[in-house]
Amino acid sequence: MDHFLYQNGILHAEDVPLPEIAASVGTPFYVYSTATLTRHFDLFAEALDGLPHLICFAMKSNSNQAVIKHMASLGAGMDVVSGGEYLRAKAAGVPGDRIVFSGVGKTEAEMRLALDGGIRQFNVESEPEMARLSRVASEMGKSAPITIRVNPDVDAKTHAKISTGRSEDKFGIPIARAREVYALAAALSGLQVIGIDVHIGSQLTDLEPFEIAYNKVAELTHQLRADGHTISRLDLGGGLGIPYQRSNTAPPLPIEYGEVIKRTVGDLGCEIEIEPGRLISGNAGLLVGSTIYVKHGEGRDFLILDAAMNDLIRPAMYGAWHDIVPVVEPAPGAEQTPYDIVGPVCESGDTFAKQRSLPALAEGDLVAFRSAGAYGAVMSSEYNSRPLIPEVLVKGDQFAVIRARPTFDDMINRDTLPEWV
Ligand code: LLP
């Protein structure tokens, strides 16, 4: 459920009509609903009720300061994957002891940053990373709390580019070698082993891979405890999928996911962390664009929008589906026309959808891409020198620009000229 509904024939974000935002900030733009973010956080909180837990919002899905500050106000921690995300979390007022640091390639500078500013834990992904963190923390006279990310070799049955828990993926250490690697960690200075981390992929629409992976983590917890390690925390990653295509069957609900967690690792006496991104922010955001032209091609009509692949790259990159709806509600039974929905960028890959049925649209008509709050704005670029588009946050009947569109001068002046040019 989200808070983007037609009211009096016009698509609204909560109580704000989208044309009002378009008139104020111009198109294209991203718009997020505070109520939807809250609702999705609450669903996870209910799902884990009864277990000691921390919901660490995966900031990679949406790292706008206003969004993460709101998440933190609900009690969320943050899952960060770079020094930049760490600093964004800190800037939003998230205390270090609510920030977990994931990622396969943490640099020494990033380790120092987090050790200096405070960190809940590093999710360590390899032996060389472990050795480096040990040295850096020792040099700083600190002890770095760590989990080790294990790769359970489970097929998450999702898109290959966002599957992370098979042995061929670059993530974690093979679970079969975990005991050996934990022994190594325990012998290193500057590290404090506190738990296990696992994340098997993103946009999972089936709970079975979670169940298999978490059962393996439970078994490993017993083994590691028998080996003398303290395992008091389990980070179970993110990955629960969302319904991108409303006409399709819906993925499992957070409450069902919570049951899997309780069933598999709930009786180990561990504090549970999860790192959801998409399920919290995905359906909390729309991308709104305007029709520049309707072009009649040979055998097909093109809806040429002012939004493009640089604003939302998921269709071009993963062949991802986003529901696209007109901002003015079509009359019941209105005739549908198949359109190829494209942006103005100079490559054929700049296609959002082919032969998508929509009611007839004309120049200037607004359309909204659903499920664009996660991996939308954060993956955008200025390709074709198209400015990053504004982000707007709605709460009830109020809205605010939470990232402004840069001016062309801002963009040009970011470049500098060496004197020999
Ligand atoms: N934790 C870790 C360690 C991750 O790598 C990810 C996502 C998450 C948590 C959050 O997963 P979520 O709950 O959002 O599924 N750009 C792609 C998605 C990449 C996901 C990468 N890792 C997309 O647009 O579909």
PDB file of all heavy atoms in Angstrom, residues 58 60-61 79 81 102-103 123 125 149 161-162 164 171 197 199 201-204 237-241 244 275-279 314 318 374-376 379, ligand 1:
ATOM      1  N   ALA A  58      18.693   0.473   4.339  1.00  0.00           N
ATOM      2  CA  ALA A  58      19.778   0.422   3.339  1.00  0.00           C
ATOM      3  C   ALA A  58      19.748   1.732   2.556  1.00  0.00           C
ATOM      4  O   ALA A  58      18.971   1.921   1.634  1.00  0.00           O
ATOM      5  CB  ALA A  58      19.598  -0.773   2.411  1.00  0.00           C
ATOM      6  N   LYS A  60      21.545   2.900   0.412  1.00  0.00           N
ATOM      7  CA  LYS A  60      21.861   2.887  -1.014  1.00  0.00           C
ATOM      8  C   LYS A  60      20.585   3.015  -1.846  1.00  0.00           C
ATOM      9  O   LYS A  60      20.622   3.452  -2.973  1.00  0.00           O
ATOM     10  CB  LYS A  60      22.645   1.626  -1.395  1.00  0.00           C
ATOM     11  CG  LYS A  60      21.869   0.344  -1.154  1.00  0.00           C
ATOM     12  CD  LYS A  60      22.581  -0.867  -1.737  1.00  0.00           C
ATOM     13  CE  LYS A  60      23.738  -1.345  -0.863  1.00  0.00           C
ATOM     14  NZ  LYS A  60      23.292  -1.874   0.465  1.00  0.00           N
ATOM     15  N   SER A  61      19.441   2.662  -1.271  1.00  0.00           N
ATOM     16  CA  SER A  61      18.193   2.745  -2.031  1.00  0.00           C
ATOM     17  C   SER A  61      17.685   4.182  -2.139  1.00  0.00           C
ATOM     18  O   SER A  61      17.041   4.542  -3.122  1.00  0.00           O
ATOM     19  CB  SER A  61      17.116   1.858  -1.391  1.00  0.00           C
ATOM     20  OG  SER A  61      16.683   2.401  -0.153  1.00  0.00           O
ATOM     21  N   ASP A  79      22.265   1.176   7.157  1.00  0.00           N
ATOM     22  CA  ASP A  79      23.245   0.302   6.527  1.00  0.00           C
ATOM     23  C   ASP A  79      23.950   1.146   5.479  1.00  0.00           C
ATOM     24  O   ASP A  79      23.307   1.627   4.547  1.00  0.00           O
ATOM     25  CB  ASP A  79      22.523  -0.889   5.872  1.00  0.00           C
ATOM     26  CG  ASP A  79      23.419  -1.677   4.935  1.00  0.00           C
ATOM     27  OD1 ASP A  79      24.598  -1.891   5.293  1.00  0.00           O
ATOM     28  OD2 ASP A  79      22.948  -2.080   3.853  1.00  0.00           O
ATOM     29  N   VAL A  81      27.386   1.778   2.767  1.00  0.00           N
ATOM     30  CA  VAL A  81      28.346   1.010   1.956  1.00  0.00           C
ATOM     31  C   VAL A  81      29.486   1.870   1.424  1.00  0.00           C
ATOM     32  O   VAL A  81      30.225   1.434   0.545  1.00  0.00           O
ATOM     33  CB  VAL A  81      27.651   0.305   0.772  1.00  0.00           C
ATOM     34  CG1 VAL A  81      26.780  -0.828   1.253  1.00  0.00           C
ATOM     35  CG2 VAL A  81      26.856   1.280  -0.063  1.00  0.00           C
ATOM     36  N   SER A 102      28.620  -2.018   5.420  1.00  0.00           N
ATOM     37  CA  SER A 102      28.696  -3.191   4.544  1.00  0.00           C
ATOM     38  C   SER A 102      29.555  -2.865   3.325  1.00  0.00           C
ATOM     39  O   SER A 102      29.896  -1.708   3.088  1.00  0.00           O
ATOM     40  CB  SER A 102      27.296  -3.584   4.054  1.00  0.00           C
ATOM     41  OG  SER A 102      26.432  -3.833   5.143  1.00  0.00           O
ATOM     42  N   GLY A 103      29.836  -3.882   2.533  1.00  0.00           N
ATOM     43  CA  GLY A 103      30.513  -3.655   1.249  1.00  0.00           C
ATOM     44  C   GLY A 103      31.814  -4.410   1.110  1.00  0.00           C
ATOM     45  O   GLY A 103      32.540  -4.573   2.089  1.00  0.00           O
ATOM     46  N   ASN A 123      30.641  -5.073   8.621  1.00  0.00           N
ATOM     47  CA  ASN A 123      30.354  -6.397   8.077  1.00  0.00           C
ATOM     48  C   ASN A 123      31.515  -6.745   7.147  1.00  0.00           C
ATOM     49  O   ASN A 123      31.581  -6.242   6.027  1.00  0.00           O
ATOM     50  CB  ASN A 123      29.014  -6.394   7.339  1.00  0.00           C
ATOM     51  CG  ASN A 123      27.843  -6.155   8.288  1.00  0.00           C
ATOM     52  OD1 ASN A 123      27.908  -6.507   9.471  1.00  0.00           O
ATOM     53  ND2 ASN A 123      26.780  -5.559   7.788  1.00  0.00           N
ATOM     54  N   GLU A 125      34.002  -8.717   4.711  1.00  0.00           N
ATOM     55  CA  GLU A 125      33.655  -9.601   3.598  1.00  0.00           C
ATOM     56  C   GLU A 125      34.798 -10.458   3.088  1.00  0.00           C
ATOM     57  O   GLU A 125      34.625 -11.244   2.157  1.00  0.00           O
ATOM     58  CB  GLU A 125      33.105  -8.776   2.438  1.00  0.00           C
ATOM     59  CG  GLU A 125      31.834  -8.032   2.782  1.00  0.00           C
ATOM     60  CD  GLU A 125      30.776  -8.123   1.687  1.00  0.00           C
ATOM     61  OE1 GLU A 125      30.907  -8.970   0.785  1.00  0.00           O
ATOM     62  OE2 GLU A 125      29.831  -7.334   1.754  1.00  0.00           O
ATOM     63  N   ARG A 149      30.626 -11.493   6.895  1.00  0.00           N
ATOM     64  CA  ARG A 149      29.554 -11.820   5.946  1.00  0.00           C
ATOM     65  C   ARG A 149      29.850 -13.166   5.314  1.00  0.00           C
ATOM     66  O   ARG A 149      30.893 -13.355   4.692  1.00  0.00           O
ATOM     67  CB  ARG A 149      29.445 -10.755   4.866  1.00  0.00           C
ATOM     68  CG  ARG A 149      28.387 -11.101   3.813  1.00  0.00           C
ATOM     69  CD  ARG A 149      28.066  -9.909   2.963  1.00  0.00           C
ATOM     70  NE  ARG A 149      27.155 -10.227   1.883  1.00  0.00           N
ATOM     71  CZ  ARG A 149      26.763  -9.342   0.981  1.00  0.00           C
ATOM     72  NH1 ARG A 149      27.207  -8.109   1.030  1.00  0.00           N
ATOM     73  NH2 ARG A 149      25.917  -9.699   0.029  1.00  0.00           N
ATOM     74  N   LYS A 161      21.936  -9.566 -11.820  1.00  0.00           N
ATOM     75  CA  LYS A 161      22.770  -8.429 -11.425  1.00  0.00           C
ATOM     76  C   LYS A 161      22.567  -8.030  -9.964  1.00  0.00           C
ATOM     77  O   LYS A 161      23.325  -7.216  -9.440  1.00  0.00           O
ATOM     78  CB  LYS A 161      22.471  -7.217 -12.318  1.00  0.00           C
ATOM     79  CG  LYS A 161      23.077  -7.370 -13.697  1.00  0.00           C
ATOM     80  CD  LYS A 161      22.969  -6.095 -14.499  1.00  0.00           C
ATOM     81  CE  LYS A 161      23.575  -6.331 -15.884  1.00  0.00           C
ATOM     82  NZ  LYS A 161      23.156  -5.353 -16.856  1.00  0.00           N
ATOM     83  N   ILE A 162      21.534  -8.534  -9.325  1.00  0.00           N
ATOM     84  CA  ILE A 162      21.308  -8.153  -7.922  1.00  0.00           C
ATOM     85  C   ILE A 162      21.202  -9.383  -7.022  1.00  0.00           C
ATOM     86  O   ILE A 162      20.641  -9.343  -5.943  1.00  0.00           O
ATOM     87  CB  ILE A 162      20.071  -7.229  -7.778  1.00  0.00           C
ATOM     88  CG1 ILE A 162      18.819  -7.843  -8.427  1.00  0.00           C
ATOM     89  CG2 ILE A 162      20.348  -5.879  -8.381  1.00  0.00           C
ATOM     90  CD1 ILE A 162      17.560  -7.022  -8.211  1.00  0.00           C
ATOM     91  N   THR A 164      23.317 -11.968  -4.769  1.00  0.00           N
ATOM     92  CA  THR A 164      24.613 -11.808  -4.110  1.00  0.00           C
ATOM     93  C   THR A 164      25.041 -13.015  -3.281  1.00  0.00           C
ATOM     94  O   THR A 164      26.113 -12.998  -2.693  1.00  0.00           O
ATOM     95  CB  THR A 164      24.574 -10.593  -3.149  1.00  0.00           C
ATOM     96  OG1 THR A 164      23.475 -10.783  -2.245  1.00  0.00           O
ATOM     97  CG2 THR A 164      24.381  -9.300  -3.891  1.00  0.00           C
ATOM     98  N   PHE A 171      30.525 -11.580  -3.118  1.00  0.00           N
ATOM     99  CA  PHE A 171      30.241 -11.171  -1.745  1.00  0.00           C
ATOM    100  C   PHE A 171      30.550 -12.233  -0.688  1.00  0.00           C
ATOM    101  O   PHE A 171      30.292 -13.418  -0.896  1.00  0.00           O
ATOM    102  CB  PHE A 171      28.778 -10.765  -1.623  1.00  0.00           C
ATOM    103  CG  PHE A 171      28.435  -9.619  -2.528  1.00  0.00           C
ATOM    104  CD1 PHE A 171      27.876  -9.836  -3.770  1.00  0.00           C
ATOM    105  CD2 PHE A 171      28.723  -8.323  -2.142  1.00  0.00           C
ATOM    106  CE1 PHE A 171      27.584  -8.772  -4.617  1.00  0.00           C
ATOM    107  CE2 PHE A 171      28.440  -7.253  -2.982  1.00  0.00           C
ATOM    108  CZ  PHE A 171      27.872  -7.485  -4.224  1.00  0.00           C
ATOM    109  N   ASP A 197      26.935 -12.057   9.448  1.00  0.00           N
ATOM    110  CA  ASP A 197      26.162 -11.248   8.492  1.00  0.00           C
ATOM    111  C   ASP A 197      25.892 -12.072   7.247  1.00  0.00           C
ATOM    112  O   ASP A 197      26.741 -12.874   6.820  1.00  0.00           O
ATOM    113  CB  ASP A 197      26.988 -10.006   8.122  1.00  0.00           C
ATOM    114  CG  ASP A 197      26.378  -9.198   6.979  1.00  0.00           C
ATOM    115  OD1 ASP A 197      25.154  -8.972   6.993  1.00  0.00           O
ATOM    116  OD2 ASP A 197      27.134  -8.774   6.092  1.00  0.00           O
ATOM    117  N   HIS A 199      23.601 -11.599   3.320  1.00  0.00           N
ATOM    118  CA  HIS A 199      22.656 -10.868   2.448  1.00  0.00           C
ATOM    119  C   HIS A 199      22.699 -11.566   1.104  1.00  0.00           C
ATOM    120  O   HIS A 199      23.746 -11.625   0.472  1.00  0.00           O
ATOM    121  CB  HIS A 199      23.059  -9.392   2.309  1.00  0.00           C
ATOM    122  CG  HIS A 199      22.285  -8.674   1.245  1.00  0.00           C
ATOM    123  ND1 HIS A 199      20.999  -8.216   1.434  1.00  0.00           N
ATOM    124  CD2 HIS A 199      22.585  -8.378  -0.041  1.00  0.00           C
ATOM    125  CE1 HIS A 199      20.555  -7.652   0.311  1.00  0.00           C
ATOM    126  NE2 HIS A 199      21.507  -7.739  -0.602  1.00  0.00           N
ATOM    127  N   GLY A 201      20.628 -11.160  -1.704  1.00  0.00           N
ATOM    128  CA  GLY A 201      20.206 -10.520  -2.949  1.00  0.00           C
ATOM    129  C   GLY A 201      19.063  -9.560  -2.711  1.00  0.00           C
ATOM    130  O   GLY A 201      18.624  -9.363  -1.571  1.00  0.00           O
ATOM    131  N   SER A 202      18.610  -8.978  -3.796  1.00  0.00           N
ATOM    132  CA  SER A 202      17.622  -7.918  -3.722  1.00  0.00           C
ATOM    133  C   SER A 202      16.419  -8.278  -4.588  1.00  0.00           C
ATOM    134  O   SER A 202      16.540  -9.053  -5.529  1.00  0.00           O
ATOM    135  CB  SER A 202      18.286  -6.644  -4.232  1.00  0.00           C
ATOM    136  OG  SER A 202      17.554  -5.507  -3.907  1.00  0.00           O
ATOM    137  N   GLN A 203      15.269  -7.700  -4.264  1.00  0.00           N
ATOM    138  CA  GLN A 203      14.030  -7.962  -5.002  1.00  0.00           C
ATOM    139  C   GLN A 203      13.699  -9.465  -5.006  1.00  0.00           C
ATOM    140  O   GLN A 203      13.381 -10.062  -6.035  1.00  0.00           O
ATOM    141  CB  GLN A 203      14.097  -7.369  -6.421  1.00  0.00           C
ATOM    142  CG  GLN A 203      12.823  -7.468  -7.261  1.00  0.00           C
ATOM    143  CD  GLN A 203      11.585  -6.873  -6.577  1.00  0.00           C
ATOM    144  OE1 GLN A 203      11.676  -6.140  -5.621  1.00  0.00           O
ATOM    145  NE2 GLN A 203      10.403  -7.210  -7.050  1.00  0.00           N
ATOM    146  N   LEU A 204      13.790 -10.076  -3.816  1.00  0.00           N
ATOM    147  CA  LEU A 204      13.388 -11.484  -3.681  1.00  0.00           C
ATOM    148  C   LEU A 204      11.861 -11.546  -3.565  1.00  0.00           C
ATOM    149  O   LEU A 204      11.261 -10.809  -2.789  1.00  0.00           O
ATOM    150  CB  LEU A 204      14.008 -12.116  -2.429  1.00  0.00           C
ATOM    151  CG  LEU A 204      15.394 -12.745  -2.635  1.00  0.00           C
ATOM    152  CD1 LEU A 204      16.460 -11.683  -2.765  1.00  0.00           C
ATOM    153  CD2 LEU A 204      15.731 -13.681  -1.491  1.00  0.00           C
ATOM    154  N   GLY A 237      20.645  -8.982   6.498  1.00  0.00           N
ATOM    155  CA  GLY A 237      20.616  -8.307   5.200  1.00  0.00           C
ATOM    156  C   GLY A 237      19.242  -7.762   4.846  1.00  0.00           C
ATOM    157  O   GLY A 237      18.331  -7.703   5.670  1.00  0.00           O
ATOM    158  N   GLY A 238      19.130  -7.369   3.586  1.00  0.00           N
ATOM    159  CA  GLY A 238      17.851  -6.833   3.094  1.00  0.00           C
ATOM    160  C   GLY A 238      17.314  -7.755   2.030  1.00  0.00           C
ATOM    161  O   GLY A 238      17.557  -8.957   2.061  1.00  0.00           O
ATOM    162  N   GLY A 239      16.584  -7.198   1.088  1.00  0.00           N
ATOM    163  CA  GLY A 239      16.264  -7.971  -0.104  1.00  0.00           C
ATOM    164  C   GLY A 239      14.818  -8.310  -0.360  1.00  0.00           C
ATOM    165  O   GLY A 239      14.484  -8.809  -1.435  1.00  0.00           O
ATOM    166  N   LEU A 240      13.935  -8.066   0.617  1.00  0.00           N
ATOM    167  CA  LEU A 240      12.540  -8.434   0.368  1.00  0.00           C
ATOM    168  C   LEU A 240      11.973  -7.579  -0.768  1.00  0.00           C
ATOM    169  O   LEU A 240      12.124  -6.357  -0.781  1.00  0.00           O
ATOM    170  CB  LEU A 240      11.729  -8.250   1.654  1.00  0.00           C
ATOM    171  CG  LEU A 240      10.323  -8.833   1.644  1.00  0.00           C
ATOM    172  CD1 LEU A 240      10.333 -10.336   1.365  1.00  0.00           C
ATOM    173  CD2 LEU A 240       9.611  -8.550   2.964  1.00  0.00           C
ATOM    174  N   GLY A 241      11.338  -8.240  -1.728  1.00  0.00           N
ATOM    175  CA  GLY A 241      10.904  -7.572  -2.954  1.00  0.00           C
ATOM    176  C   GLY A 241       9.588  -6.824  -2.811  1.00  0.00           C
ATOM    177  O   GLY A 241       8.864  -6.955  -1.824  1.00  0.00           O
ATOM    178  N   TYR A 244       6.316  -4.500  -8.328  1.00  0.00           N
ATOM    179  CA  TYR A 244       6.533  -3.464  -9.341  1.00  0.00           C
ATOM    180  C   TYR A 244       5.384  -3.421 -10.330  1.00  0.00           C
ATOM    181  O   TYR A 244       5.090  -2.393 -10.900  1.00  0.00           O
ATOM    182  CB  TYR A 244       7.840  -3.729 -10.100  1.00  0.00           C
ATOM    183  CG  TYR A 244       9.059  -3.194  -9.385  1.00  0.00           C
ATOM    184  CD1 TYR A 244       9.893  -4.025  -8.641  1.00  0.00           C
ATOM    185  CD2 TYR A 244       9.363  -1.832  -9.430  1.00  0.00           C
ATOM    186  CE1 TYR A 244      11.000  -3.521  -7.987  1.00  0.00           C
ATOM    187  CE2 TYR A 244      10.462  -1.319  -8.771  1.00  0.00           C
ATOM    188  CZ  TYR A 244      11.281  -2.166  -8.052  1.00  0.00           C
ATOM    189  OH  TYR A 244      12.371  -1.665  -7.387  1.00  0.00           O
ATOM    190  N   GLU A 275      18.446  -5.222   6.932  1.00  0.00           N
ATOM    191  CA  GLU A 275      18.886  -4.056   6.137  1.00  0.00           C
ATOM    192  C   GLU A 275      17.959  -3.828   4.947  1.00  0.00           C
ATOM    193  O   GLU A 275      18.402  -3.880   3.794  1.00  0.00           O
ATOM    194  CB  GLU A 275      20.305  -4.303   5.610  1.00  0.00           C
ATOM    195  CG  GLU A 275      21.353  -4.592   6.658  1.00  0.00           C
ATOM    196  CD  GLU A 275      22.678  -5.070   6.054  1.00  0.00           C
ATOM    197  OE1 GLU A 275      22.717  -5.418   4.851  1.00  0.00           O
ATOM    198  OE2 GLU A 275      23.676  -5.089   6.784  1.00  0.00           O
ATOM    199  N   PRO A 276      16.681  -3.601   5.173  1.00  0.00           N
ATOM    200  CA  PRO A 276      15.798  -3.388   4.017  1.00  0.00           C
ATOM    201  C   PRO A 276      16.000  -2.002   3.405  1.00  0.00           C
ATOM    202  O   PRO A 276      16.195  -1.020   4.121  1.00  0.00           O
ATOM    203  CB  PRO A 276      14.396  -3.492   4.638  1.00  0.00           C
ATOM    204  CG  PRO A 276      14.581  -3.088   6.063  1.00  0.00           C
ATOM    205  CD  PRO A 276      15.987  -3.463   6.460  1.00  0.00           C
ATOM    206  N   GLY A 277      15.979  -1.959   2.095  1.00  0.00           N
ATOM    207  CA  GLY A 277      16.044  -0.680   1.394  1.00  0.00           C
ATOM    208  C   GLY A 277      14.797  -0.511   0.555  1.00  0.00           C
ATOM    209  O   GLY A 277      13.905   0.273   0.849  1.00  0.00           O
ATOM    210  N   ARG A 278      14.722  -1.358  -0.478  1.00  0.00           N
ATOM    211  CA  ARG A 278      13.661  -1.235  -1.475  1.00  0.00           C
ATOM    212  C   ARG A 278      12.256  -1.293  -0.875  1.00  0.00           C
ATOM    213  O   ARG A 278      11.387  -0.530  -1.252  1.00  0.00           O
ATOM    214  CB  ARG A 278      13.827  -2.368  -2.486  1.00  0.00           C
ATOM    215  CG  ARG A 278      12.945  -2.244  -3.703  1.00  0.00           C
ATOM    216  CD  ARG A 278      13.026  -3.494  -4.573  1.00  0.00           C
ATOM    217  NE  ARG A 278      14.330  -4.028  -4.798  1.00  0.00           N
ATOM    218  CZ  ARG A 278      15.087  -3.771  -5.869  1.00  0.00           C
ATOM    219  NH1 ARG A 278      14.640  -3.001  -6.816  1.00  0.00           N
ATOM    220  NH2 ARG A 278      16.286  -4.318  -5.993  1.00  0.00           N
ATOM    221  N   LEU A 279      12.049  -2.218   0.076  1.00  0.00           N
ATOM    222  CA  LEU A 279      10.678  -2.356   0.564  1.00  0.00           C
ATOM    223  C   LEU A 279      10.229  -1.114   1.333  1.00  0.00           C
ATOM    224  O   LEU A 279       9.061  -0.784   1.398  1.00  0.00           O
ATOM    225  CB  LEU A 279      10.500  -3.612   1.420  1.00  0.00           C
ATOM    226  CG  LEU A 279       9.021  -4.011   1.510  1.00  0.00           C
ATOM    227  CD1 LEU A 279       8.824  -5.499   1.379  1.00  0.00           C
ATOM    228  CD2 LEU A 279       8.334  -3.463   2.736  1.00  0.00           C
ATOM    229  N   ARG A 314      16.795   2.001 -14.098  1.00  0.00           N
ATOM    230  CA  ARG A 314      16.448   0.591 -13.876  1.00  0.00           C
ATOM    231  C   ARG A 314      15.918  -0.128 -15.119  1.00  0.00           C
ATOM    232  O   ARG A 314      16.320  -1.253 -15.385  1.00  0.00           O
ATOM    233  CB  ARG A 314      15.474   0.449 -12.700  1.00  0.00           C
ATOM    234  CG  ARG A 314      16.037   1.021 -11.387  1.00  0.00           C
ATOM    235  CD  ARG A 314      15.226   0.645 -10.155  1.00  0.00           C
ATOM    236  NE  ARG A 314      15.355  -0.765  -9.885  1.00  0.00           N
ATOM    237  CZ  ARG A 314      14.474  -1.675 -10.208  1.00  0.00           C
ATOM    238  NH1 ARG A 314      13.347  -1.323 -10.804  1.00  0.00           N
ATOM    239  NH2 ARG A 314      14.696  -2.943  -9.956  1.00  0.00           N
ATOM    240  N   TYR A 318      18.368  -3.115 -16.019  1.00  0.00           N
ATOM    241  CA  TYR A 318      17.926  -4.465 -15.618  1.00  0.00           C
ATOM    242  C   TYR A 318      16.729  -4.953 -16.422  1.00  0.00           C
ATOM    243  O   TYR A 318      16.159  -5.997 -16.097  1.00  0.00           O
ATOM    244  CB  TYR A 318      17.499  -4.480 -14.146  1.00  0.00           C
ATOM    245  CG  TYR A 318      18.455  -3.827 -13.180  1.00  0.00           C
ATOM    246  CD1 TYR A 318      18.112  -2.644 -12.529  1.00  0.00           C
ATOM    247  CD2 TYR A 318      19.702  -4.395 -12.897  1.00  0.00           C
ATOM    248  CE1 TYR A 318      18.972  -2.044 -11.631  1.00  0.00           C
ATOM    249  CE2 TYR A 318      20.563  -3.789 -12.001  1.00  0.00           C
ATOM    250  CZ  TYR A 318      20.194  -2.617 -11.377  1.00  0.00           C
ATOM    251  OH  TYR A 318      21.043  -2.031 -10.489  1.00  0.00           O
ATOM    252  N   ALA A 374      13.094   3.795  -4.634  1.00  0.00           N
ATOM    253  CA  ALA A 374      14.342   3.084  -4.319  1.00  0.00           C
ATOM    254  C   ALA A 374      15.148   2.918  -5.601  1.00  0.00           C
ATOM    255  O   ALA A 374      14.594   2.550  -6.637  1.00  0.00           O
ATOM    256  CB  ALA A 374      14.039   1.705  -3.735  1.00  0.00           C
ATOM    257  N   TYR A 375      16.432   3.165  -5.528  1.00  0.00           N
ATOM    258  CA  TYR A 375      17.344   2.973  -6.661  1.00  0.00           C
ATOM    259  C   TYR A 375      16.908   3.811  -7.859  1.00  0.00           C
ATOM    260  O   TYR A 375      17.072   3.411  -9.006  1.00  0.00           O
ATOM    261  CB  TYR A 375      17.465   1.483  -7.018  1.00  0.00           C
ATOM    262  CG  TYR A 375      17.833   0.635  -5.814  1.00  0.00           C
ATOM    263  CD1 TYR A 375      16.931  -0.254  -5.229  1.00  0.00           C
ATOM    264  CD2 TYR A 375      19.092   0.769  -5.232  1.00  0.00           C
ATOM    265  CE1 TYR A 375      17.267  -0.994  -4.104  1.00  0.00           C
ATOM    266  CE2 TYR A 375      19.439   0.024  -4.104  1.00  0.00           C
ATOM    267  CZ  TYR A 375      18.523  -0.851  -3.552  1.00  0.00           C
ATOM    268  OH  TYR A 375      18.871  -1.587  -2.433  1.00  0.00           O
ATOM    269  N   GLY A 376      16.304   4.963  -7.574  1.00  0.00           N
ATOM    270  CA  GLY A 376      15.914   5.897  -8.622  1.00  0.00           C
ATOM    271  C   GLY A 376      16.874   7.071  -8.592  1.00  0.00           C
ATOM    272  O   GLY A 376      17.892   7.080  -9.301  1.00  0.00           O
ATOM    273  N   MET A 379      20.642   6.489  -8.301  1.00  0.00           N
ATOM    274  CA  MET A 379      21.386   5.935  -9.450  1.00  0.00           C
ATOM    275  C   MET A 379      21.343   6.875 -10.653  1.00  0.00           C
ATOM    276  O   MET A 379      21.738   6.509 -11.748  1.00  0.00           O
ATOM    277  CB  MET A 379      20.804   4.564  -9.844  1.00  0.00           C
ATOM    278  CG  MET A 379      21.068   3.488  -8.803  1.00  0.00           C
ATOM    279  SD  MET A 379      20.360   1.888  -9.258  1.00  0.00           S
ATOM    280  CE  MET A 379      21.555   1.282 -10.452  1.00  0.00           C
TER     281      MET A 379
HETATM  282  N1  LLP B   1      22.203  -4.972   2.373  1.00  0.00           N
HETATM  283  C1  LLP B   1      23.165  -5.187   1.464  1.00  0.00           C
HETATM  284  C2  LLP B   1      24.466  -5.683   1.905  1.00  0.00           C
HETATM  285  C3  LLP B   1      22.906  -4.936   0.100  1.00  0.00           C
HETATM  286  O1  LLP B   1      23.856  -5.155  -0.800  1.00  0.00           O
HETATM  287  C4  LLP B   1      21.635  -4.447  -0.290  1.00  0.00           C
HETATM  288  C5  LLP B   1      21.350  -4.158  -1.686  1.00  0.00           C
HETATM  289  C6  LLP B   1      20.674  -4.224   0.709  1.00  0.00           C
HETATM  290  C7  LLP B   1      20.993  -4.501   2.035  1.00  0.00           C
HETATM  291  C8  LLP B   1      19.308  -3.691   0.422  1.00  0.00           C
HETATM  292  O2  LLP B   1      18.575  -4.535  -0.390  1.00  0.00           O
HETATM  293  P1  LLP B   1      17.038  -4.220  -0.664  1.00  0.00           P
HETATM  294  O3  LLP B   1      16.279  -4.415   0.621  1.00  0.00           O
HETATM  295  O4  LLP B   1      16.951  -2.822  -1.134  1.00  0.00           O
HETATM  296  O5  LLP B   1      16.659  -5.193  -1.701  1.00  0.00           O
HETATM  297  N2  LLP B   1      20.215  -1.170  -7.967  1.00  0.00           N
HETATM  298  C9  LLP B   1      19.445  -2.400  -7.869  1.00  0.00           C
HETATM  299  C10 LLP B   1      19.440  -2.958  -6.476  1.00  0.00           C
HETATM  300  C11 LLP B   1      20.802  -3.226  -5.929  1.00  0.00           C
HETATM  301  C12 LLP B   1      20.773  -3.786  -4.537  1.00  0.00           C
HETATM  302  C13 LLP B   1      22.138  -3.860  -3.970  1.00  0.00           C
HETATM  303  N3  LLP B   1      22.208  -4.282  -2.608  1.00  0.00           N
HETATM  304  C14 LLP B   1      18.039  -2.162  -8.384  1.00  0.00           C
HETATM  305  O6  LLP B   1      17.740  -1.043  -8.830  1.00  0.00           O
HETATM  306  O7  LLP B   1      17.224  -3.072  -8.417  1.00  0.00           O
END
